[in-house]
Amino acid sequence: MDRVRCAWGDSAPEYVRYHDEEWGTPLHGDDALFERLCLEAFQSGLSWITILRKRPAFRAAFAGFSIDAVAEFTADDEARLLADAGIVRNRAKIAAAVRNARAAQQVPEGLSELLWSFAPSGPRPRPATLADVPATSPESTAMAKELKRRGFVFVGPTTAYALMQATGMVDDHVSTCFRATP
């Protein structure tokens, strides 16, 4: 059955699966959201398809994105990651993942609860086209500011908004998409 998707969701087989099964689906759990936060940071300046294709290697390299495991990474681990051709080898982004794991350990309410506290609660207009989808929002700006205050890095408003979209905190499926909820 042919389904009408957001335009980007038809551009590659990985995108079809990601769009149909993950993007915009509410995701909870500290480690699960830590993974998405890291992957969104690694995506910065790159195509998301690159990250999707490397996600299995990222998961292996970063201990399944267990916050506690990544927080224990040493300089030797960072050197190992810089040599891993299966992931994006960017020194600043690798160091950010380790630093953010340590910051996540210090969030008393848990990372999931903190991030979800920025999800908009009221109705939002459904985007009609991709051109109507914003890159940031007041909520993503507030999220980024709070994360930075708590010691997180590589988490600007655009990265925070992409995280919100990917994890269902906001629903930006365009109005003609089969995943759009009324």
Side-chain angles (χ1 to χ4, degrees):
M1 171 175 114
D2 284 334
R3 292 178 163 173
V4 176
R5 294 179 177 84
C6 299
W8 64 267
D10 275 329
S11 61
E14 295 91 345
Y15 275 156
V16 170
R17 187 171 46 258
Y18 178 68
H19 173 275
D20 291 2
E21 299 172 12
E22 289 186 62
W23 193 75
T25 300
L27 180 70
H28 296 274
D30 291 349
D31 290 343
L33 285 165
F34 175 67
E35 173 183 355
R36 293 297 183 83
L37 184 67
C38 289
L39 293 178
E40 293 294 347
F42 273 101
Q43 184 274 328
S44 181
L46 302 172
S47 168
W48 183 245
I49 195 76
T50 300
I51 302 305
L52 280 179
R53 290 175 176 157
K54 291 179 177 277
R55 186 160 58 169
F58 270 112
R59 286 175 172 164
F62 282 91
F65 288 99
S66 161
I67 291 170
D68 291 337
V70 176
E72 296 297 321
F73 280 13
T74 64
D76 288 342
D77 290 306
E78 291 187 33
R80 169 185 57 82
L81 294 167
L82 279 169
D84 186 341
I87 66 168
V88 173
R89 296 179 289 181
N90 178 297
R91 185 179 306 278
K93 293 175 182 181
I94 290 168
V98 176
R99 180 170 174 178
N100 289 347
R102 293 174 184 155
Q105 286 181 315
Q106 303 305 311
V107 177
E109 67 271 36
L111 185 62
S112 185
E113 186 173 324
L114 172 64
L115 295 176
W116 273 93
S117 73
F118 292 95
S121 57
R124 300 174 64 240
R126 164 110 15 238
T129 69
L130 289 180
D132 298 325
V133 177
T136 64
S137 69
E139 295 87 358
S140 75
T141 300
M143 177 191 283
K145 183 177 179 181
E146 180 60 16
L147 287 171
K148 287 178 183 178
R149 187 187 75 76
R150 293 184 185 224
F152 289 79
V153 294
F154 239 96
V155 288
T158 302
T159 297
Y161 194 73
L163 173 76
M164 295 174 87
Q165 291 173 305
T167 61
M169 293 177 202
V170 297
D171 179 0
D172 278 341
H173 287 283
V174 297
S175 58
T176 56
C177 177
F178 83 95
R179 295 258 345 255
T181 55

